[in-house]
Structure formats: C-alpha cells, structure tokens
Amino acid sequence: MLADAPDVTLLAHVNPDADALGSAVALGIALQRRGATVRVSFGHPAAVPESLRGLDSTGIVVPVEEVPAVPPLLVALDAGSVDRLGVLGDRVAATAAAGGEVIVLDHHVSNTRFGTLNVVDDKAEATAVIVLRVLDELGALVDEPIARCLYAGLATDTRCFRVATGATYATAARLVEAGVDPDATLRPLLDTHPFGWMGMLATVLGGASLEPDSAQGLGFVHAAVRAADAEGLRGEDVDSVIDILRTTREAEVAAVFKETAPATWTVSLRAIARLDVGAVAESLGGGGHRLASGVTLHCGLKEAVDQVRSALESAPSLR
Ligand code: AMP
Ligand code: MN
Ligand code: MN
C-alpha cells in the first residue's frame, strides 16, 4: 500500500511525543521523496510542541484544518486506540467507509486494532523501530533527516536506551552512522526548560505525598500540577515532572496529576517493575504500557487520587 499510494495522511497521537511525531515524519519524508502527496498531523495541540520542532526538518506537518475529511490512505502511528487520535479520530471511520485503507503502526500492548491493516508489535521498543522495518521493506534511503526522527523516538521510548537489547543498540548505531548527532537531537527533548520550570518544580515537588502502604504495600508517590503552577510553561515542562517524581526510592508507583482543564486531571503513571500500571490506566479508561501509562479523569483532585489509589490495590502483579 505504502509503495504505491499517491496520497498518504499520517497521524500521530494527541499531545505527540518524539516517538509518535518522529515516526510519522520519518515515514512521511520517505513517501514524499518517492513522489506521493503526504501530510503529517495530530489532533492536539494546534502547533508542534517546541521541543519536537527539530524533527520536522522538511515542514511536512500541517494543522488539523488541512487534513482531508476522507483521506484515501491513512496511517496512525503510536496510537493504541482511535480516541488517541483526538479530533482526527473521525478520519478512521470516514476512510474505511469510503473503501480506503487505515494502517495502524504501533507497539502498545493495549492496541485495539482499529485499522484495516494492523502492524502492532508490542515487543518493539518504539513505533520508530516498526517504521524503520517498513522503510527497509520499501527500500527507502534512511539518511539524517529520517534517522534523526527515528533516533528521537527510540531514545525517548527506551528512557535513553535503558530498556534495550543488543538489537536496540545496533539500531541506534545504524542511525548515528546515518548522521544523527545524539546530543543535538536529544537536548531539546530532554534537557531544556525555561527558568520558570525551576519554580514550578519547587512548588509541585514540595507538595508531593508519599504513601508507603499504598500500591499493595509497595509504595505510592504522587504530586499535582495545578493550572496555576503550569502558567507560562509548555506542556513538555509539565510532562517532565513524572521523570523526577518516579525516582522516589520508597515508591513502586509514581503518579503526576496534571490539571488540563477545570475538574480535568490528566494522570501520568509509572511503575518500576512490580505492578502493571497499564492495566490500572485501562481500568480507569486510559491505557499505555505495563510500566508507563496514562488516563484523563473528570473530577476533583482528591477524587482523582482516590480513584488511582484504589485501582492500584487491584493492579496485576508483574512477578
Ligand atoms: P504519558 O504519561 O502521557 O507520558 O503517557 C505514558 C504512556 O501512556 C504513553 O505510552 C501513552 O501513549 C499512554 N497514554 C497516556 N495517556 C493515555 C490515554 N488517555 N489513553 C491511552 N494511553 C495513554
Ligand atoms: Mn507515544
Ligand atoms: Mn511509543
């Protein structure tokens, strides 16, 4: 399908990360080079998050308004279900109803197989790895602009190659050989924040709670980022709080509750190794991976924390 299609629309999940957007842009550039009309988009937010702008080296990303109502060929990347496409989710049914194809490229265990062709490998470290396999099948040249996107997705989804096999490092080596500068690629993604981030961290981490007896006695640490705390900061500044909180030694599970709208808390959940927080998120209406998941709850903060705490009591054990 991808070898012949004259018009391809690629969608990353809402609030795209480097794996979702990098995978879409990498595949998009390759298809554009062989003459297809290609656009990459995502349901939210309106513009490419600042930290990801270095991935779109060719300007292939378009706003939601420029995505056709009925794309002839649709590819969804790094999205486990239709609702992860946000306002662009309606393109899935529209394309299928018109006789078009919907290709799902993803690595989430919880993937619902919502495409007409589903390439889902939950053993893949990142969707970027699946895209690299597709590019090789297509005989596409994997040069720096493409490799940079794949490297960004691979590095971030493996927490900088800590969840990795020898093959992961071999893939990384291939991408670096293609010209990727690891530090220049990862610094805007992982190590760059405005000064206001420091004050937000002080407030948010200062208010964190440790519950040693929660999470089946394995420990639960949580913190809230209220709308006022996040004022003037970027989504990626708020999303990075979980990576600090999760280093708490006394807690198997960490959660950051982010106030994304009034009475709306988007929760990032992380486990170290022993509890399946993907199942916890799913039981609350969200999803993700066993050790990293998310869900959006519509209620007050106390109720949101209570819901997660209580769901953790019945979380599947991983050993
Ligand atoms: P985050 O905490 O936003 O970094 O998300 C961690 C993981 O959970 C990622 O793999 C996301 O794709 C997934 N995830 C986050 N929120 C949701 C949701 N509402 N539904 C399904 N998967 C989610
Ligand atoms: Mn993702
Ligand atoms: Mn991913």
Side-chain angles (χ1 to χ4, degrees), residues 26 32-33 97 117 123 130 142 148 163 167 172 216 240 243 263 267 275 289-290 298:
Q32 203 166 46
R33 284 179 183 164
L117 176 70
K123 298 285 185 300
I130 302 171
V142 178
R148 183 198 315 179
V163 183
Q216 305 175 28
S240 66
D243 290 318
V267 190
L275 289 183
H289 308 279
R290 283 176 309 165
H298 299 274

Side-chain angles (χ1 to χ4, degrees), residues 13-21 77-79 84 106-108 127 157 289:
H13 62 67
V14 288
N15 301 314
D17 50 22
D19 190 33
L21 194 71
L77 298 107
D78 201 42
R84 294 286 290 155
D106 187 34
H107 69 129
H108 287 88
T127 298
D157 267 32
H289 308 279

Side-chain angles (χ1 to χ4, degrees), residues 13 17 78 81 83-84 107-108 110 157 239 242 258 266-270 281 285-289 292-296:
H13 62 67
D17 50 22
D78 201 42
S81 58
D83 55 283
R84 294 286 290 155
H107 69 129
H108 287 88
S110 57
D157 267 32
D239 289 344
I242 188 66
K258 300 169 276 191
T266 295
V267 190
S268 285
L269 274 168
R270 301 290 185 273
H289 308 279
S293 65
V295 60
T296 296

Side-chain angles (χ1 to χ4, degrees), residues 49-53 187-194 197 200 230-240:
E50 187 182 64
S51 60
L52 297 176
R53 281 185 203 152
R187 188 180 291 268
L189 289 168
L190 300 173
D191 297 335
T192 307
H193 298 282
W197 184 68
M200 182 270 281
E231 221 175 275
L233 296 175
R234 310 165 305 165
E236 44 267 66
D237 300 320
V238 173
D239 289 344
S240 66

